Amino acid sequence: MSLKSALFELKEALVDREIGQSEEAFIHELENKNNLSSGTLVFYYNNLMIVSMMNKENGSQNDQGSKKVNRKWTKNEIELLFHYIKDRQDEGALNITEILEEVSHLLNRGYQSVNYKYYTLLKSQDKKQESSQKTYQFTTIKQTDIPVIAVENMKEGAPVFSAAQSKTPQDSDLLDILSGLITNVQQLPDLNLNEMLRGLYQLTNMALQNQEAVQQVETMKSTINHEKAVLQEKLRQEKKRNDELQMEVSKLAKEITAFNMLGDAAKIQNLKSYNQRLNYIIDGFGIVLQVGS
C-alpha cells in the first residue's frame, strides 16, 4: 500500500460521494489502511475536494453549450502537484514520468498539460536560484609571469653565498635579515631586485585576496545553513497550523456542498441561516474569524 493507492481511493470516494462517516474518521481509516502517518491525507483531501468542485462547475458550463477552453491552473493544483511529487519520491518512486501521469489522473488533466506545467515552473525556480547566488573568483598567476624565473639566466661563474654568509645568528632581527638579503641579491648578475620584490608583493596580495574570498564563502555557507534551519522550523510550524486550518476549511466546504445539493425552494428557505453560518469560521483556539460579508 502507498500514497498512490490512498489518493486514488480518496478521489473515487469524493467523486461518488461515498464518504458516509465524518471526514476525520474516513481519513484516519484510509491512512491506517495504507500505512501512512497520521495527518498525511488532510492536505490532499481538501485540495481534491476543491478540484472536484471546480471540475463539476466546469462540466456544468460545458453542458450548457459554452465553448470549451483549457482551464487555468489554480494555486491548489500547483501545490498538490509538487507536494505529491515530493511525497512519492520520498516513498522511493524514481520515475518522474509515471508520477506526472498519476498527477494527471488525480487532477483530471492531460499528461502533456501536467508535464509542461511542472517543467516550466521547475525551470523558472532554477533561474531565480542562479540569479540570487553570488560567485567568487580566485586570482591565480601563471608560472611564466613569476619574476623569480629570471634566476635561470644566472651565469655559472656568478658569486654564491659563502658558508659564513649563509649562517644566520639566532639573535638577528628581521631588519638584519632583509639587509643581508638585499646586499646579496644586488651582487647577483642578471637579477633585478625591484622586479623580484614586486613579484613577491603581487603574490602576497593574491594570497590575501584568495584567503578573503575563502572566508567570505565559509561565512555565506554558515549564513545559508542557519537561514535554512530557521526556515525549516517555520515551515514545520506553518504546516501544523495549515493542517488545523485545512480541517476547518473542509467543514466549510462540506456546508457549501450540502447547500448546493438542496432544491431551489430549500435553498431560499435556508439561505439566511446558511449565509450566517458560512460567514464565520472558528479556528483551533476558539477565536471566531469573519471570512465573508
Side-chain angles (χ1 to χ4, degrees), residues 136-138 208-218:
Y136 294 92
Q137 183 176 3
F138 291 87
L208 289 175
Q209 292 174 3
N210 290 343
Q211 184 179 8
E212 182 180 358
V214 171
Q215 292 177 350
Q216 291 177 350
V217 170
E218 293 299 327

Side-chain angles (χ1 to χ4, degrees), residues 221-232:
K221 288 182 179 179
S222 177
T223 302
I224 291 175
N225 291 334
H226 176 70
E227 293 176 351
K228 182 179 180 182
V230 173
L231 180 60
Q232 288 177 344

Side-chain angles (χ1 to χ4, degrees), residues 65 71 111 153 165 214 226 228 232 242 271 283:
R71 69 180 192 270
Y111 170 78
N153 297 325
Q165 292 174 330
V214 171
H226 176 70
K228 182 179 180 182
Q232 288 177 344
N242 183 64
L271 180 60
D283 69 2

Side-chain angles (χ1 to χ4, degrees), residues 139-286:
T139 306
T140 58
I141 185 171
K142 297 181 180 180
Q143 186 179 10
T144 55
D145 296 335
I146 300 177
V148 181
I149 297 297
V151 298
E152 295 179 355
N153 297 325
M154 292 174 57
K155 298 179 180 180
E156 296 182 357
V160 296
F161 297 103
S162 63
Q165 292 174 330
S166 62
K167 293 182 180 180
T168 304
Q170 295 181 354
D171 58 348
S172 298
D173 57 15
L174 180 60
L175 292 178
D176 292 336
I177 296 174
L178 291 177
S179 177
L181 174 63
I182 294 174
T183 301
N184 290 334
V185 169
Q186 288 177 340
Q187 297 178 7
L188 296 174
D190 301 327
L191 183 60
N192 191 317
L193 177 61
N194 292 336
E195 291 296 331
M196 186 187 74
L197 293 178
R198 185 179 294 107
L200 291 175
Y201 176 73
Q202 292 176 354
L203 289 174
T204 55
N205 276 339
M206 292 176 185
L208 289 175
Q209 292 174 3
N210 290 343
Q211 184 179 8
E212 182 180 358
V214 171
Q215 292 177 350
Q216 291 177 350
V217 170
E218 293 299 327
T219 301
M220 183 181 67
K221 288 182 179 179
S222 177
T223 302
I224 291 175
N225 291 334
H226 176 70
E227 293 176 351
K228 182 179 180 182
V230 173
L231 180 60
Q232 288 177 344
E233 177 62 22
K234 288 184 178 179
L235 289 176
R236 186 189 66 81
Q237 296 177 359
E238 287 295 329
K239 184 178 183 301
K240 180 180 178 181
R241 176 60 177 166
N242 183 64
D243 290 343
E244 296 174 355
L245 292 178
Q246 289 281 0
M247 193 61 69
E248 295 293 338
V249 171
S250 69
K251 296 179 181 178
L252 184 61
K254 185 177 180 181
E255 292 286 345
I256 296 174
T257 302
F259 182 80
N260 289 333
M261 294 176 62
L262 296 175
D264 293 337
K267 285 182 179 179
I268 296 175
Q269 183 178 0
N270 294 276
L271 180 60
K272 183 177 181 180
S273 61
Y274 269 102
N275 185 52
Q276 292 175 348
R277 294 169 64 187
L278 296 180
N279 280 342
Y280 296 88
I281 181 171
I282 302 177
D283 69 2
F285 299 97

Side-chain angles (χ1 to χ4, degrees), residues 9-17 19 45 48-49 52:
E9 184 174 349
L10 176 60
K11 179 189 175 184
E12 183 178 357
L14 288 173
V15 173
D16 298 337
R17 298 177 181 174
I19 303 178
Y45 173 80
L48 285 176
M49 176 178 289
S52 178

